[in-house]
């Protein structure tokens, strides 16, 4: 057993207050990181270890002892040990009796064991109050302080007093406890970090379906139809022209789907006459994945801009321009400069660029690090104002100024006329 003089730096407690001692079993990555954070927040830390010697990696100010000695120092014991090594705890049943054991463990696979790790721990050492907590916080985040995205700590346990005490600790570390109920919820909490982007699944599949649908629609219209009708090979449209139709259409459809559930929710609330009733599951889920839908829409808009930038360097476009010039020279037929077309073409692209700028602005203000710095009114303003203006601009840029303009006065055609008429 070795004692180190306390030279930690309590930030939140006054020196006159008695420091609460917390015991951490296991001197691995997570135990050390959590210990350091707790020391900084004014707790006394005692580590329990198989080999209790002070290593340079352990935070200054902590004590290290054998598991059984350490357990006697505190009634809150954090088990920062992998589930596979819980066996040694059975030898400590006596000293652990009546104490609060905090299970922080994670597994490698979803539903790896028949029962959750926390329930297993409760069975292994009966007479203790097991509380599940901290498993969604990573050692790295604790050390680097980069906890913006994951300040929430899911908590569950059968003893409400024990849970309350752990929640107090969580709060004093600057984190937000979220009570998920009894220990039965541990399974869900343990599976949570293993789920791969749960909120991305639906938006991802939806955008895949949209892309495939619009892609085949365009292929039928622009490749198969000309081939069947005129025996013309237009397959070269597959890599750029068609994707450059699919991407902006998918972007706009997804953008509409970001704001549609809000409208449905509002109608539903008006219809029910209250906002205090749960939405149906499908609507709830849809509302929760709007951010992901929005970001995918922004991604598609980015792709559309990139694909548009390469239009002038495409062989097919350059060939068409050259060919037109040569044809005009041979036939001695001039194509007079049209101010109207020029205006329309520039406005078309300008609106596209402005729309894209507003789209990006919307995305940037939605970043947590940015949205944390604006107040609710500012956030609503940015979310609502550019969105409605942006959508109007984009729609007008898509619909074009005239429903059926003559070929030379269509701004879209003047930009990439070769793509339309060949
Ligand atoms: C590029 C881009 C990036 C985006 N990034 C993010 C992001 O990072 N984070 C993010 O959250 N969104 C993001 N979004 C999505 C979008 O910005 C928001 O979903 C948008 O603010 C929703 O506004 P709304 O008016 O449709 O709905 P809301 O403001 O949610 O309101 C709609 C209606 O539903 C009611 N309502 C809403 N929620 C509840 C509820 N739980 N219970 C009861 N009533 C409720 C409201 O009172 C209102 O009547 C992004 C979108 C885009 C395009
Ligand atoms: N790392 C992370 O970011 C996170 C980890 N967790 C959870 O925290 C727990 C600890 O993780 P982590 O610190 O990364 O793991 P480590 O492997 O780094 O540390 C585990 C510690 O357990 C102790 N231990 C006790 N008995 C045994 C044994 N028989 N064999 C090996 N080690 C033993 C050891 O401490 P000693 O040598 O002092 O006895 C060891 O340092 C795990 O349950 C993990 O799921 C949860 C969230 C995030
Ligand atoms: C820098 C910004 C932009 C520029 C320069 C631009 C330019 C263009 C061009 C040249 C076309 C014609 C492409 C073709 O016919 O193959 C086009 C089409 C289109 N753009 Fe944009 N655009 C921009 C941003 C946007 C944004 C942000 C959106 C909305 C998400 C958007 C939506 C559309 C749509 C829906 C079409 C029609 C696709 C079709 O059916 O052909 N554009 N744009
Ligand atoms: Fe076009």
């Amino acid at each position: 057993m070795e004692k180190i003089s306390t030279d930690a730096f309590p930030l939140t407690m006054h020196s006159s207050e008695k420091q609460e001692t917390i015991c951490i079993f296991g001197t691995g990555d997570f135990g050390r990181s959590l210990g350091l954070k707790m020391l900084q927040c004014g707790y006394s830390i005692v580590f329990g270890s198989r080999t209790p010697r002070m290593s340079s990696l352990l935070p200054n100010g902590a004590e290290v002892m054998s598991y059984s000695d350490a357990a006697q120092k505190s009634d809150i014991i954090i088990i920062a040990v992998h589930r596979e090594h819980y066996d040694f705890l059975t030898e400590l049943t006596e000293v652990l009796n009546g104490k609060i054991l905090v299970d922080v463990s994670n597994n490698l696979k979803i539903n790896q064991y028949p029962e959750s790790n926390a329930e297993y721990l409760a069975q292994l050492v009966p007479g203790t109050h097991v509380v599940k907590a901290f498993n969604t916080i990573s050692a790295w985040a604790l050390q680097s302080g980069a906890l913006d995205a994951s300040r929430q700590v899911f908590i569950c346990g059968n003893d409400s007093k024990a849970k309350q005490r752990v929640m107090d600790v969580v709060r004093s570390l600057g984190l937000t406890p979220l009570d998920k109920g009894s220990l039965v919820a541990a399974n869900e909490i343990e599976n949570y970090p293993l789920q791969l982007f749960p909120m991305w699944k639906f938006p991802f599949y939806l955008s895949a379906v949209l892309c495939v649908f619009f892609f085949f629609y365009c292929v039928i219209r622009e490749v198969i139809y000309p081939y069947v009708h005129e025996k013309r090979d237009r397959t070269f449209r597959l890599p750029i022209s068609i994707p450059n139709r699919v991407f902006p259409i998918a972007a706009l459809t997804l953008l509409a789907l970001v704001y549609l559930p809000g409208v449905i929710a509002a109608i539903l609330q008006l219809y029910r006459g209250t906002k205090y009733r749960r939405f149906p599951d499908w609507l709830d889920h849809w509302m929760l994945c709007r951010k992901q839908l929005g970001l995918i829409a922004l991604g598609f808009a980015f792709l559309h801009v990139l694909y548009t930038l390469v239009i002038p360097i495409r062989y097919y476009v350059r060939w068409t321009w050259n060919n037109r010039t040569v044809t005009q020279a041979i036939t001695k037929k001039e194509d007079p400069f049209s101010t109207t077309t020029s205006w329309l073409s520039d406005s078309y692209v300008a609106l596209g660029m402005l729309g894209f700028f507003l789209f990006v602005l919307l995305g940037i203000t939605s970043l947590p690090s940015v949205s944390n710095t604006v107040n609710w009114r500012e956030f609503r303003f940015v979310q609502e104002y550019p969105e409605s203006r942006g959508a109007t601009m984009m729609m007008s840029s898509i619909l074009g100024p005239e429903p059926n303009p003559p070929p030379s006065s269509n701004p879209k055609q003047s930009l990439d006329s070769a793509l339309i008429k060949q």
Side-chain angles (χ1 to χ4, degrees):
M1 192 200 314
E2 201 171 332
K3 255 194 164 177
I4 297 291
S5 64
T6 306
D7 62 347
F9 18 91
L11 299 176
T12 54
M13 282 190 185
H14 299 289
S15 50
S16 55
E17 280 177 45
K18 191 183 172 305
Q19 294 183 348
E20 188 180 354
T21 303
I22 293 190
C23 170
I24 300 177
F25 274 12
T27 54
D29 292 338
F30 194 69
R32 288 198 310 266
S33 309
L34 195 61
L36 176 64
K37 181 88 188 162
M38 287 177 163
L39 274 167
Q40 289 172 340
C41 292
Y43 289 97
S44 289
I45 297 301
V46 181
F47 281 103
S49 172
R50 290 168 300 172
T51 46
R53 60 195 152 72
M54 194 66 197
S55 108
S56 59
L57 291 172
L58 284 176
N60 268 355
E63 291 180 82
V64 202
M65 353 185 140
S66 68
Y67 282 125
S68 63
D69 286 344
Q72 282 163 11
K73 298 273 179 183
S74 166
D75 30 321
I76 301 184
I77 300 167
I78 294 171
I79 314 290
V81 174
H82 287 278
R83 170 191 170 128
E84 293 73 26
H85 309 309
Y86 279 0
D87 309 346
F88 76 93
L89 294 166
T90 51
E91 293 155 25
L92 304 172
T93 331
E94 224 166 276
V95 52
L96 294 179
N97 195 32
K99 306 222 169 196
I100 300 170
L101 301 192
V102 184
D103 185 302
V104 300
S105 63
N106 281 315
N107 292 325
L108 296 174
K109 279 189 279 185
I110 288 184
N111 296 328
Q112 188 173 352
Y113 297 101
E115 77 287 85
S116 68
N117 298 349
E119 287 167 305
Y120 170 66
L121 182 63
Q123 286 165 22
L124 211 60
V125 257
T128 58
H129 309 298
V130 173
V131 176
K132 182 89 207 174
F134 292 116
N135 68 309
T136 51
I137 304 281
S138 77
W140 178 83
L142 276 170
Q143 278 187 357
S144 63
L147 283 169
D148 261 3
S150 52
R151 277 186 187 279
Q152 284 182 342
V153 176
F154 299 108
I155 307 237
C156 74
N158 291 338
D159 186 279
S160 58
K161 270 199 202 126
K163 212 158 53 173
Q164 208 54 51
R165 283 197 59 189
V166 176
M167 279 163 61
D168 288 343
V169 174
V170 169
R171 257 182 235 114
S172 61
L173 298 183
L175 306 170
T176 315
L178 215 92
D179 191 347
K180 299 288 272 184
S182 74
L183 216 53
V184 178
N187 193 41
E188 187 193 327
I189 299 180
E190 284 169 15
N191 283 338
Y192 186 77
L194 296 169
Q195 282 167 346
L196 193 63
F197 306 122
M199 282 302 157
W200 284 91
K201 238 186 207 157
F202 170 70
F204 179 79
Y205 286 125
L206 181 72
S207 26
V209 168
L210 279 175
C211 281
V212 170
F213 172 78
F214 286 124
F215 186 81
F216 282 106
Y217 175 75
C218 292
V219 169
I220 291 170
R221 271 191 53 164
E222 295 172 36
V223 178
I224 298 178
Y225 179 79
Y227 183 76
V228 172
H229 225 239
E230 304 162 24
K231 281 274 176 291
R232 268 165 52 178
D233 180 3
R234 310 264 292 186
T235 44
F236 66 88
R237 295 185 70 85
L238 289 174
I240 292 190
S241 304
I242 292 182
N244 201 25
R245 282 191 194 287
V246 174
F247 293 144
I249 293 172
L252 280 179
T253 313
L254 290 172
L255 189 64
L257 292 176
V258 169
Y259 291 91
L260 184 62
V263 177
I264 298 177
I267 293 174
L268 197 68
Q269 286 174 348
L270 284 174
Y271 175 75
R272 287 172 168 177
T274 172
K275 62 175 184 176
Y276 298 108
R277 257 175 65 197
R278 246 188 87 83
F279 290 142
D281 278 348
W282 58 268
L283 184 57
D284 196 43
H285 189 73
W286 191 358
M287 300 274 279
L288 287 175
C289 62
R290 285 177 302 181
K291 166 183 166 180
Q292 289 75 6
L293 286 169
L295 290 176
I296 296 179
L298 182 61
F300 281 135
F302 252 112
L303 279 174
H304 167 56
V305 172
L306 283 179
Y307 274 64
T308 299
L309 287 179
V310 302
I311 288 180
I313 60 168
R314 294 177 63 201
Y315 161 74
Y316 163 57
V317 175
R318 283 180 291 133
W319 178 87
T320 312
W321 284 343
N322 290 342
N323 192 42
R324 184 173 299 169
T325 314
V326 172
T327 310
Q328 280 175 10
I330 293 172
T331 57
K332 296 206 167 53
K333 219 176 97 196
E334 229 179 291
D335 188 3
F337 178 79
S338 156
T339 317
T340 319
T341 309
S342 185
W343 258 101
L344 293 175
S345 153
D346 281 4
S347 321
Y348 177 78
V349 178
L351 288 175
M353 288 186 295
L354 276 174
F356 183 64
F357 168 73
L358 293 172
F359 213 145
V360 172
L361 189 68
L362 187 69
I364 291 175
T365 52
S366 299
L367 292 173
S369 52
V370 178
S371 60
N372 285 346
T373 64
V374 295
N375 66 29
W376 182 81
R377 246 196 101 193
E378 289 160 348
F379 183 77
R380 290 295 307 178
F381 177 81
V382 180
Q383 291 283 316
E384 277 174 11
Y385 191 78
E387 204 39 50
S388 48
R389 300 302 169 274
T392 322
M393 282 182 184
M394 285 174 224
M395 285 318 289
S396 62
S397 87
I398 298 149
L399 296 173
E402 293 169 48
N404 247 334
S408 64
S409 72
N410 185 339
K412 207 166 123 185
Q413 288 189 354
S414 68
L415 228 177
D416 65 340
S417 55
L419 305 181
I420 299 164
K421 287 244 176 276
Q422 193 198 358

